[in-house]
Each structure stands twice: as structure tokens, then as C-alpha cells.
Amino acid sequence: MRRFLRPGHDPVRERLKRDLFQFNKTVEHGFPHQPSALGYSPFLRLMAIGTRSGAIKLYGAPGVEFMGLHEENNTVMQIHFIPDQCQLVTLLDDNSLHLWSLKQHSGASELREEHRFTLKGPPGSPPSATQITAVLPHSSREVLYLGTESGNIFVVELPLFRVLEDRTITSEAVLQRVPEDYCNRRSCELVEALQEHPKNPDQILIGYSRGLIVLWDLQNNKVTHQFLGSQQLENLYWQRDGSKFISCHYDGSYTQWPVSSDNRQPEPLENLVPYGPFPCKAISKIYWQTTKNGLPYIIFQGGMPRASYGDRHSISVVHGSQQTAFDFTSRVIDFFIIFSSEPTAEYDDPSAMVVLAEEELVVIDLKTAGWPALHPPYLASLHCSAITCSHHVSNIPLKLWERIISAGSKQNVHYSNMPWPIDGGTNIAPDPPQRDLLLTGHEDGTVRFWDASGVCLHLLYKLSTVRVFLTDADPNDNMNMLGEDEWPPLRKVGTFDPYSDDPRLGIQKIYLCKYSGYLAVAGTAGQVLVMELNDEDAEHVVDHAEADLLQDQEGYRWKGHEKLKTRDGPVRFEAGFQPFVLVQCQPPAVVTSLALHSEWKLVAFGTSHGFGLFDHQQKRLVFVKCTLHPSDQLALEGPLSRVKSLKKSLRQSFRRIRRSRVSSRKRRGASGNASEVQEANAKFDQDALQEMELAPVQRKIEARSAEDSFTGFVRTLYFADTFLRDSSRHCPSLWAGTNGGTVYAFCLRVPPAERRMDEPVRAEQAKEIQLMHRAPVVGILVLDGRSTPLPEPLEVAHDLSKSPDMQGSHQLLVVSEEQFKVFTLPKVSSKLKLKLTALEGCRVRKVTVANFGSCKTDDYSENDLAVLTNLGDIQIISLPFLKLQIRYPCIRKEDVSGIASCVFTKYGQGFYLISPSEFERFSLSTKWLVEPRCLVDMPEVTSNNHVHNKSGMENAARKSRSLGDYGEDERKSGRLMEHALLNDEKVLKEIQSTLEGGR
């Protein structure tokens, strides 16, 4: 009965668990999913991105990142930074405004939402009366000007969003100064653009959608100039000196307008259709940037001829005789130009163009000849080709790290060397304790190597496997080549390319040995490539070998895709990882498992038909083992025949339900009278209840039929030097686990180094274990005499791990989807097991060994199992006693792709995809935590020429002080302000009227 009793509470262990385990979601890596808005503060040198799910993310210098989330989860439509403040305003698609502030807390800055507000019209007014279309934060830092669909402009006081009704600019007031014949032809309609005069903050430029533009005097509440445009307006931009502005229009034209000191009717200086004379797309945004050499930069979005280039997403840059139309791979959301923001500067002198496209961020260097792109240190487009798998390697040796970076730098020669221009804030996070790599496999046959050591996920190197195979596309094609006379002068920019030349190229498994530099990658069409790192370009023949996994079977016919055709003769490879051997599985099914042992020079691979072992030093196939069950016809259909699979699995599910109902009826007794049946039922229920109460974490596991589909599917492969034949001699071994709950163990004879090339590697099957419940085997692990997992290949040789204990008896841990089971070796007798609970159908999806160190002392660490279930929970289970330590909810159980993409690290961290373009990083350890920690200080305001009066200065000073913790000076300032307000007669009258209205 002892095994049924609940374990007692151990306070020492509970304390230790608090020192070891802690769950945190720390940072999101990659590119925001579905971006919808862009903002930039020249004052803070920070960029903000809003998304359709209501997230807002701020970026500055590498490592400076902030994130906020609107409670409403509505689309962020616009983002505007308050001039010279650590504040910004967001507009959502529900017409609400939100004020965010960067405030210091515990020595670091945090992004907080301060206030929210929805503009409301008078009772009975239509929604369009207050639907905000344009937002202008005034340089006084006191008010926002809100343009609406009705043509009215409302003024809202910051920070509390109080509407100043007496300062509203109505469309009727604007039309009083506009000629009658123009008013009759077109009304103001919605406000399309609001721009403050760069030299006179008492004037704002108002642009209406039908083409009318007026300059409004804020002091005298009147129109001083009107500009009668004839085309639908898209946007406005002031030139730096305020003598001219430029308007862009729906017909693909832009117009330059003078602003004279007298009240004469202004006529346009220039009206140009850059890509005319044929009908063109709208120019939605434009910049006019002045330079010292006199030639301006004219930069505009759109304007392409509709008939031929209507599907292009372009931004054109014109500088004298230079003109380039940058052609982006996805829709342009917004862009901005980084230029001199010093008020005393005479010229703009633009340095960079930052473009937010739907699928990536592109930054163009405008200072360097040819206008090259910059290599971004963050916001990487992870999904430039869809991610198909990932692999994490911790603690990379410095030499390998430098060689990978060197190979990557040779690929980046076409990028600009300009320093990253968005450099606001200070990264105060400690330096990463080690160098970590995250490798992602992609649908187009590439593997990307990411620096995952810190907050910024930075691309180091890209490997392509395409050159080994013959595909429809020539890898030497250059999409950026332009003819000399081509018009428009399009140039492709960006890396997003979701279209694969051939879906069979997709990478499914990756294994990197950080000590030897060997890399194995396996793909969708049964291809397994073994590579080694070469610092120079090379041309060589890739050796081929074929592994027929159905060699002993008759009557099977593969119905899936064909294998990839390989190139004959030598193939030229860039510096980096270069393949030297290709193993082709037959049938060419998806490779489902992969293991590499660089010390023994062996690679093991598995598919839905079986597994094989290849000696990549002798370039010879050691053996293959077919695991196909006679009923596994689905395994021969390939990944493209999924409809039949779904129908068959549904049929089998219904059959299982029927079988379980029939068996339960039989248990309850088909014969006998009703009272006997009722009594038997009651006893059965009572026994079941008692079993549940005594063992709450354990359950009976329903055995699966051997006829279930894909039983031969190889889920895991594992190399181990352990005791397999007898307890006196250990030998190399290979273990394989299948979907049908079978574990195969092979003894390997690897010749010593001096005879390694002369004698073949030999293999002989030593064990075959069949789990009773036939659940898929997802992990295999051997523990040494100290109950410690065996070290990685070459880890001991590099003095990074203790030698395994070969004196005590070894243990085998087999992890299936439904239970953990420990066997003794070499007898393979069951020693210990932990069954997962049946509540809500919990099954193991991912499992790995992680090392957890104590946050209190450097002297203590332990190895535990980190387990992810199909419910999205993460469980930590102790070794070797299989005790559940703690459980954390991590991923929504509905997020199947997120659960499938999860990868654990060796030190208790993990990554999973929260969208096709973003990894969420989490930590289970108190010691290993990578999260942003940064500081944004309030820079000094160099000029106060935009501040109207003393009260504005005081208000700005009060806001700037609010970024720190409140102290005595702040409280005194607050009391003085309160005293000044209570002595203001106008304010007192307003308070009185508000109170009377409330009554």
C-alpha cells in the first residue's frame, strides 16, 4: 500500500525548487506578425511598430526593446511620438486614443499605458463626425490636433485627453475664406493630413481629401492661405525652411506650393507625374529633403504606372540624375527618413530610409553610393522562407563561432557598413554568459544560423542545400540585375521570399556537432546531407549513397513524390558548411529522425519505413532496418496524400470508441438479473473511484492496436556507449524508437582510430523492447552509474564534462507519449515508471534533459527532464526518480503549430513560434534568463522655440520629471501647480460649471 500513499511535504526540497525553477516568458524574437503602423522619434531615436493584434513594440539600439499590449486587441492604425518627450500616442481602429510613457522602475525603463480616450460627438451625430483620420502632436507638448472624417479638427489637451471645445477648427470656419466657386465644386470632406509649420508653431497646414489645403493661424483662428488643389490629396510635407511644402495625390502626381508672406492666391510652383503619362497609382507619402550640394532628395511611396506595375510595392528615391524605385517583396505599411533633427541645422542631409513592409523591415543607406541596404541587428525576417524545423546548440566554442561569423561576413559584402541609425536608449542587460546558436530549417532548402545568446536574434550565416540538386531555378540568377535603359528603374530589395522552387527541398531535421564542426541536415524527400566547415570556397564532387529501407519487403509500392535529382560532376560551394556526402533514403519519404556521432563518424536517420546507419568517414552504408508493419499502407502514400489518412484515422477513432463501449458492457455482465448488474456496476465505479483517489497522477493506459497507422514511423534515434550484451563490457550502440511503441537496440563495432579506414563498422541487433501500451516513443536516454545522462560525443575529450561512470550499472529511460519508464541494463528489466494523467488527454510532445543551476549558489546544479505536453504545459521531472517537480502553463493547447515548433535548450530555456515570423523565448531556470533590460534617458531639449509660453515650459518640465520616481521636489511642484490653478478665476468657473452640470 505504500506506493499508493501521497508523498510527504519536504520543506528543504521545496526551498531548493524555488532556487532552481522559475517560469518567465522573456522576449519575442523576429518580426512582428501583421504590422499595421510605424512611428519614429528623432528626439529619442526610437522606432515604434504597431500590429493588427493590438501590440506595440519599441526598438532603439540593439538590445533596447519595449513591448506593450492594448487590452482591446484592436488594430493599431497610427503611432505618434510626443515631441521632445518619452511619450507616444496610438490610434486604434475602434477610434480610441492611448497615451504611453517610458518610465523608470528599479533602474530600468518600462513602457506603460497612462490614459485612454475615445472622441465622442454630440448626441445624434453620425460616427463619421468624430472618426479620427489624422493626428498631430503639437510641438508645445500640450495638445493633440485630431482631424476627422467630417472635416472638423478637434483639439485635445494632454495628458488627460480633455477636449478643448472652444479651439475646435470646424470645416465651416475654413470654408469662409475659400472662393465660392471652389466651395460649390467640392466640400472639405475628411481631413487627410495635418502638418505643423517648421518655423512657426502658431500655424498648421490642413489638407482635405478632395484637394483643398489651408494654412490655419492658431492664434487668430483663421485661414491665412488657401491652396486650391485639383486632385484627390494623399499627404503633405513641409520643406525645412517653411517657404514651401509639397503635396502628393491619388493620380500619381506631386505638387510644390510656395508659402508667401502676403495674402495673394498661391499658384503651384511645380506639378509632376514622375512615372506618367499613363495612369499611375497614388503617391501616398512624400519627403523633400534638402542637402548641402543643393540637389534635394525626393522620396515617395507609390506612383507606379497602374497597367504594368500596379502590383508592385515601391518607394522611389530621386537625387539629381539618380533615381531608383525600390521594389519590396511585400506591401509597404509605412516608412520614414532619418535626417538631421537639430533645429540649428540648415539642411536635412538624409542618412537612411527605414521601410516597414508587411513581412520585413528594410533600411536603405542614403549616404553610400548605390544606396545599399543595411543588415538589421534585430527584427529579422525569420519566415523569409517558411520555418520547417529548428535546433538549438548551447555554449558554442569560440573557434567555431568565429568561423561561422567569417563565413557569414562573406555573404554580407553587398550590405552597407553604416552604423545602425536607430540607436536610442542604453542596453543595461548583462552580457550573455555564453554563445548560443539557434538553427532554423526552411522550406526552400536553407538553414539559417542565428545568434541566440542575447535579446537580439541576429543572423550570422545562411546555408543553402539547393546547389546539390537540380531544380527549376538557377541559383546564379540575380533578381537585382537591371538594364541600363529600363524604366521605371526598379530594384528588388528585401529577403522575404515565401515561394520554394521545390517543396521536396524543405529541411526537416538538423544536427550540429559543436566540437567537430560536422553538420547533418535531412529533408522532405529522404535526403540526408553530411557537411563539414570549410573557411574557403571549394569545388568538389558530393558522394552519393542510397539506403533502401524496404529491401526485404515485397508487394509495397511507394505512391508519394520522387527523389530529388542530383547534379553530376563537381559542384562549387561558398565558404561555410559544405556537403561531402548525400544519403538518399528509398522510398524518398520525409526524414523523421536524425542523430550524428562525430567521434564515431556515424550518422543515423529514420523515416516512416525504417532507419539506417551510415559511416560518413568510409562513406559506406552500415545497415538498414525496415520497421514497416503489414498494415502501414498509409506510410507508402507520402505527405501529399493526407485526405485518405484523415478519413482512415477518423474511422479508426470511431471503431475504438465502439470497442471500448462493447468491452465495458461485457465487463458489467451480459447475463444475470438487473440487481446483479446494478451491483456489479456500483462495485466497478467504487473501485475506479478508489483507484483515482489513491493515485491521482497515475492511470491505466489503454493499449493501442498494432494495426494503428504509422506504427513503423521512427520518432527518435540515440547513440550511447553502454552495457548492452553483458555487465562486464560496454560498447557503442544505436537505439531507435517507433510510433508503435517499439525500441530497437543495435550493438556497434567501431574500429580503433588507427584501423578506422581499413575495417568496416559492424552492427548487430541486440534488443527489441515492445511497450505494452504501444504509445509512440518520443525519447530515449541512458543514465550512467551515477544516474547522470551520458555526455555528448567529444564533450569529455574537450574537458567540458566528466567521464561517464562505467563501474555502476547503467539505466535506460524510455519516454513514450503516455509514460516514462526506467529499465536496468543490460537485462532490460523494468525498474521504475511514471504514468501521465489521463485528465484532458495529456500526452508528451517534446522532452529533453536540461541542467538547472541554483540562483543562490554556484556549487549546486542538477539534471532534470523538461517535458512539453499536447496541452501546452511544461513539466519538470527529476532524474533518476521521475518525480514531478513543477508544472507551468506555457502555450495554448489550441496552438498546435506552436507546440510542434517548441525547442528546449540545454540550460532550461526554450523557443516556440507564436506566429510564422516570431519566436517566443521562455525560461524555466532562475539562473539562465535572457530578457531586455534597458534605459531611455530624457535627452536635453536643445531649443525651446516651439514653446508658446511659460506655463507650457512648466508643464513640459513636470512631465520630464515624471519619468523618475516621485520625490520631494515633485510633490512641491505639484502643490505649487495646484495653488496656481485654484487662484485662476477661469479654472474655478469651469470647475463650478462642471459641478452644477453633474447635479
Side-chain angles (χ1 to χ4, degrees):
M1 289 298 292
R2 188 175 296 171
R3 67 190 180 98
F4 291 108
L5 298 176
R6 295 176 184 271
H9 181 75
D10 183 354
V12 176
R13 181 61 191 172
E14 291 302 315
R15 257 196 319 272
L16 184 57
K17 280 171 21 178
R18 287 196 292 272
D19 296 343
L20 293 172
F21 311 123
Q22 183 181 344
F23 178 74
N24 290 287
K25 290 186 179 180
T26 55
V27 66
E28 292 176 4
H29 295 301
F31 185 77
H33 185 50
Q34 296 180 324
S36 56
L38 177 69
Y40 178 68
S41 168
F43 178 68
L44 299 173
R45 298 184 72 82
L46 293 178
M47 170 180 67
I49 295 176
T51 71
R52 283 164 61 178
S53 60
I56 178 169
K57 300 185 178 187
L58 271 62
Y59 300 91
V64 177
E65 295 184 15
F66 302 94
M67 180 179 168
L69 187 64
H70 296 88
E71 287 182 11
E72 295 80 2
N73 290 341
N74 287 74
T75 299
V76 180
M77 303 299 292
Q78 296 182 37
I79 301 173
H80 300 273
F81 282 87
I82 309 300
D84 303 340
Q85 292 289 297
C86 290
Q87 292 181 313
L88 65 152
V89 169
T90 56
L91 171 68
L92 305 190
D93 65 350
D94 64 354
N95 208 42
S96 63
L97 287 165
H98 302 254
L99 179 68
W100 297 81
S101 295
L102 283 169
K103 295 199 169 184
Q104 290 186 22
H105 177 71
S106 301
S109 298
E110 293 180 353
L111 183 64
R112 296 180 189 170
E113 184 177 1
E114 298 288 323
H115 301 285
R116 65 187 67 187
F117 164 77
T118 302
L119 186 64
K120 295 177 181 175
S125 61
S128 62
T130 54
Q131 185 67 44
I132 300 169
T133 55
V135 179
L136 172 64
H138 196 261
S139 59
S140 66
R141 308 187 286 275
E142 295 176 343
V143 293
L144 293 177
Y145 290 89
L146 308 176
T148 61
E149 278 188 8
S150 63
N152 296 329
I153 298 165
F154 295 89
V155 186
V156 176
E157 189 179 45
L158 291 174
L160 298 177
F161 290 120
R162 187 167 66 93
V163 179
L164 305 177
E165 295 182 3
D166 57 328
R167 292 172 63 177
T168 300
I169 304 170
T170 63
S171 54
E172 291 80 9
V174 170
L175 291 173
Q176 287 176 3
R177 287 293 303 272
V178 177
E180 286 187 17
D181 60 332
Y182 190 87
C183 291
N184 292 336
R185 285 188 293 113
R186 53 189 77 233
S187 64
C188 287
E189 282 210 350
L190 64 85
V191 178
E192 198 70 61
L194 291 170
Q195 295 286 341
E196 184 179 333
H197 195 293
K199 298 296 182 184
N200 183 359
D202 288 332
Q203 292 182 335
I204 61 171
L205 200 62
I206 306 170
Y208 296 92
S209 62
R210 287 291 183 89
L212 172 65
I213 305 165
V214 299
L215 188 62
W216 182 266
D217 186 337
L218 296 172
Q219 291 286 359
N220 301 309
N221 290 330
K222 67 175 185 177
V223 172
T224 60
H225 298 74
Q226 64 266 3
F227 308 88
L228 309 179
S230 59
Q231 291 294 335
Q232 182 175 323
L233 181 72
E234 291 289 321
N235 222 320
L236 299 169
Y237 188 78
W238 277 107
Q239 292 186 25
R240 191 177 187 92
D241 61 0
S243 64
K244 295 185 278 291
F245 70 88
I246 196 164
S247 62
C248 54
H249 303 275
Y250 182 76
D251 66 343
S253 67
Y254 65 82
T255 306
Q256 203 176 169
W257 302 85
V259 180
S260 57
S261 55
D262 54 32
N263 289 331
R264 285 181 301 145
Q265 180 63 45
E267 293 295 327
L269 296 174
E270 179 187 32
N271 185 31
L272 187 66
V273 183
Y275 296 113
F278 302 107
C280 294
K281 290 174 70 177
I283 294 179
S284 55
K285 189 172 184 177
I286 193 163
Y287 281 83
W288 183 290
Q289 301 277 281
T290 56
T291 60
K292 290 176 185 175
N293 64 10
L295 293 172
Y297 278 84
I298 305 167
I299 303 168
F300 55 89
Q301 178 184 345
M304 284 280 149
R306 283 186 182 276
S308 305
Y309 300 95
D311 60 339
R312 301 298 180 101
H313 315 288
S314 70
I315 294 178
S316 299
V317 181
V318 183
H319 180 57
S321 59
Q322 288 179 271
Q323 181 165 348
T324 299
F326 293 99
D327 185 13
F328 296 89
T329 56
S330 56
R331 184 172 63 91
V332 174
I333 303 297
D334 201 356
F335 75 103
F336 61 84
I337 306 298
I338 296 178
F339 57 91
S340 175
S341 58
E342 290 294 324
T344 54
E346 191 176 347
Y347 304 101
D348 293 310
D349 281 331
S351 58
M353 175 173 71
V354 181
V355 183
L356 177 67
E358 201 165 36
E359 304 292 353
E360 63 186 324
L361 184 82
V362 179
V363 181
I364 305 295
D365 176 2
L366 298 176
K367 288 287 190 185
T368 306
W371 299 331
L374 273 77
H375 193 52
Y378 46 71
L379 286 173
S381 183
L382 297 173
H383 64 317
C384 43
S385 172
I387 294 175
T388 48
C389 66
S390 52
H391 174 67
H392 188 275
V393 189
S394 299
N395 210 5
I396 302 292
L398 180 60
K399 188 176 180 181
L400 176 64
W401 187 264
E402 289 173 342
R403 292 177 71 189
I404 291 171
I405 289 175
S406 174
S409 63
K410 292 174 183 175
Q411 298 176 335
N412 296 334
V413 289
H414 58 283
Y415 282 108
S416 167
N417 292 321
M418 174 184 181
W420 185 244
I422 305 164
D423 55 2
T426 307
N427 178 15
I428 57 174
D431 291 334
Q434 60 187 30
R435 295 169 293 274
D436 289 354
L437 273 179
L438 180 66
L439 282 67
T440 52
H442 297 264
E443 195 177 45
D444 62 355
T446 59
V447 178
R448 285 171 168 79
F449 290 65
W450 305 93
D451 177 0
S453 314
V455 171
C456 296
L457 195 69
H458 180 60
L459 181 65
L460 299 178
Y461 164 68
K462 183 179 86 170
L463 161 71
S464 177
T465 62
V466 178
R467 288 184 179 273
V468 181
F469 306 103
L470 287 168
T471 58
D472 296 334
D474 185 352
N476 297 316
D477 285 349
N478 188 351
M479 296 177 72
N480 292 337
M481 294 295 287
L482 284 175
E484 289 183 9
D485 302 323
E486 185 173 338
W487 189 261
L490 286 164
R491 190 175 110 201
K492 204 88 172 171
V493 285
T495 59
F496 180 70
D497 183 14
Y499 307 107
S500 174
D501 299 330
D502 192 326
R504 295 174 296 173
L505 289 167
I507 306 297
Q508 296 296 330
K509 295 290 173 183
I510 306 169
Y511 197 105
L512 171 67
C513 174
K514 62 186 177 184
Y515 304 112
S516 64
Y518 282 114
L519 172 70
V521 297
T524 303
Q527 69 271 29
V528 180
L529 285 162
V530 186
M531 312 185 188
E532 59 184 342
L533 194 54
N534 190 344
D535 298 328
E536 302 296 333
D537 293 6
E539 188 171 357
H540 60 258
V541 175
V542 178
D543 290 296
H544 295 178
E546 205 159 275
D548 182 6
L549 297 171
L550 296 180
Q551 58 181 5
D552 298 328
Q553 304 289 329
E554 292 182 2
Y556 287 103
R557 188 170 60 86
W558 171 247
K559 303 173 188 175
H561 49 241
E562 294 181 354
K563 68 175 184 178
L564 285 159
K565 293 178 181 176
T566 55
R567 293 180 186 272
D568 296 325
V571 182
R572 182 155 191 84
F573 297 103
E574 297 175 337
F577 286 94
Q578 299 172 352
F580 61 88
V581 68
L582 164 67
V583 183
Q584 178 62 57
C585 298
Q586 287 289 11
V590 174
V591 178
T592 57
S593 54
L594 185 69
L596 177 73
H597 201 292
S598 47
E599 191 173 357
W600 302 337
K601 305 290 193 295
L602 299 175
V603 61
F605 48 87
T607 71
S608 53
H609 306 119
F611 60 96
L613 181 67
F614 186 80
D615 178 354
H616 65 75
Q617 185 166 357
Q618 292 188 11
K619 296 171 184 172
R620 172 185 164 273
L621 189 67
V622 179
F623 77 90
V624 292
K625 168 74 176 175
C626 180
T627 57
L628 206 61
H629 190 273
S631 66
D632 273 351
Q633 289 298 322
L634 284 178
L636 293 165
E637 292 182 0
L640 305 177
S641 304
R642 284 289 177 260
V643 178
K644 293 178 183 175
S645 307
L646 180 63
K647 286 180 179 176
K648 185 170 180 182
S649 65
L650 286 171
R651 280 200 301 273
Q652 288 172 340
S653 299
F654 284 121
R655 283 172 188 161
R656 271 202 295 270
I657 291 168
R658 282 201 296 270
R659 278 203 302 268
S660 64
R661 284 175 179 169
V662 169
S663 62
S664 67
R665 287 195 196 105
K666 286 178 180 176
R667 271 201 310 271
R668 295 180 184 193
S671 61
N673 57 32
S675 62
E676 288 175 347
V677 173
Q678 193 173 354
E679 188 177 327
N681 286 349
K683 188 175 187 304
F684 177 83
D685 292 340
Q686 189 177 355
D687 291 345
L689 186 63
Q690 191 175 4
E691 184 180 355
M692 287 171 64
E693 286 174 349
L694 286 170
V697 242
Q698 298 193 4
R699 66 169 173 98
K700 288 185 177 178
I701 297 171
E702 182 183 345
R704 304 181 186 204
S705 167
E707 296 178 2
D708 283 0
S709 301
F710 290 111
T711 55
F713 183 119
V714 180
R715 293 286 290 265
T716 184
L717 290 163
Y718 178 69
F719 285 108
D721 187 356
T722 188
F723 300 92
L724 199 53
R725 291 196 178 279
D726 56 58
S727 57
S728 59
R729 287 177 301 170
H730 56 89
C731 66
S733 62
L734 172 66
W735 301 76
T738 72
N739 219 42
T742 307
V743 177
Y744 299 95
F746 280 75
C747 274
L748 307 178
R749 183 187 172 280
V750 182
E754 61 272 12
R755 299 196 303 275
R756 184 66 178 81
M757 288 301 291
D758 302 326
E759 298 179 14
V761 175
R762 301 193 183 279
E764 183 182 351
Q765 185 170 337
K767 307 284 183 187
E768 182 176 333
I769 308 166
Q770 178 62 60
L771 301 180
M772 294 298 292
H773 57 293
R774 298 184 184 274
V777 177
V778 295
I780 297 173
L781 184 68
V782 172
L783 306 175
D784 70 5
R786 292 187 294 262
S787 298
T788 302
L790 295 183
E792 293 178 22
L794 295 174
E795 193 173 10
V796 175
H798 284 75
D799 295 326
L800 295 170
S801 174
K802 291 180 181 178
S803 297
D805 183 355
M806 293 297 184
Q807 303 303 317
S809 60
H810 285 198
Q811 300 172 79
L812 171 70
L813 171 63
V814 177
V815 181
S816 74
E817 281 191 356
E818 299 188 354
Q819 72 176 12
F820 302 79
K821 198 163 188 177
V822 176
F823 298 89
T824 59
L825 287 177
K827 289 184 178 179
V828 193
S829 56
S830 178
K831 181 181 179 182
L832 185 68
K833 65 182 173 184
L834 170 68
K835 299 176 185 178
L836 289 187
T837 176
L839 295 174
E840 302 174 38
C842 182
R843 297 182 188 276
V844 176
R845 286 288 176 260
K846 305 273 179 176
V847 62
T848 195
V849 176
N851 182 267
F852 293 92
S854 169
C855 62
K856 296 287 178 66
T857 174
D858 293 334
D859 299 333
Y860 183 80
S861 67
E862 65 181 42
N863 291 306
D864 296 291
L865 290 176
V867 179
L868 175 70
T869 72
N870 63 329
L871 303 180
D873 291 339
I874 290 176
Q875 302 181 13
I876 297 174
I877 295 170
S878 67
L879 286 175
F881 300 113
L882 301 183
K883 299 291 184 185
L884 177 64
Q885 301 300 298
I886 204 156
R887 180 189 283 112
Y888 301 111
C890 180
I891 310 173
R892 290 182 303 108
K893 64 180 179 182
E894 298 82 12
D895 186 4
V896 178
S897 59
I899 292 171
S901 66
C902 182
V903 56
F904 289 108
T905 77
K906 195 177 175 181
Y907 294 100
Q909 296 186 66
F911 302 81
Y912 68 94
L913 288 171
I914 51 173
S915 75
S917 59
E918 291 170 291
F919 273 114
E920 175 83 69
R921 185 177 192 138
F922 62 87
S923 175
L924 306 169
S925 169
T926 56
K927 191 172 182 180
W928 300 93
L929 197 66
V930 175
E931 60 182 346
R933 185 169 171 79
C934 35
L935 188 65
V936 177
D937 285 321
M938 185 79 167
E940 290 184 11
V941 182
T942 54
S943 172
N944 292 320
N945 61 339
H946 285 186
V947 179
H948 287 291
N949 49 42
K950 188 179 177 185
S951 66
M953 287 284 287
E954 288 172 355
N955 193 26
R958 189 172 74 252
K959 286 180 190 173
S960 70
R961 281 199 301 270
S962 73
L963 292 171
D965 293 328
Y966 285 99
E968 188 62 31
D969 292 342
E970 284 76 4
R971 285 193 289 272
K972 286 178 182 176
S973 171
R975 285 196 293 270
L976 287 169
M977 185 62 67
E978 185 181 54
H979 179 72
L981 286 170
L982 291 174
N983 285 313
D984 189 318
E985 189 178 348
K986 185 180 176 184
V987 173
L988 288 170
K989 283 183 178 178
E990 190 172 346
I991 293 170
Q992 186 178 353
S993 66
T994 306
L995 291 170
E996 287 172 355
R999 288 197 204 99

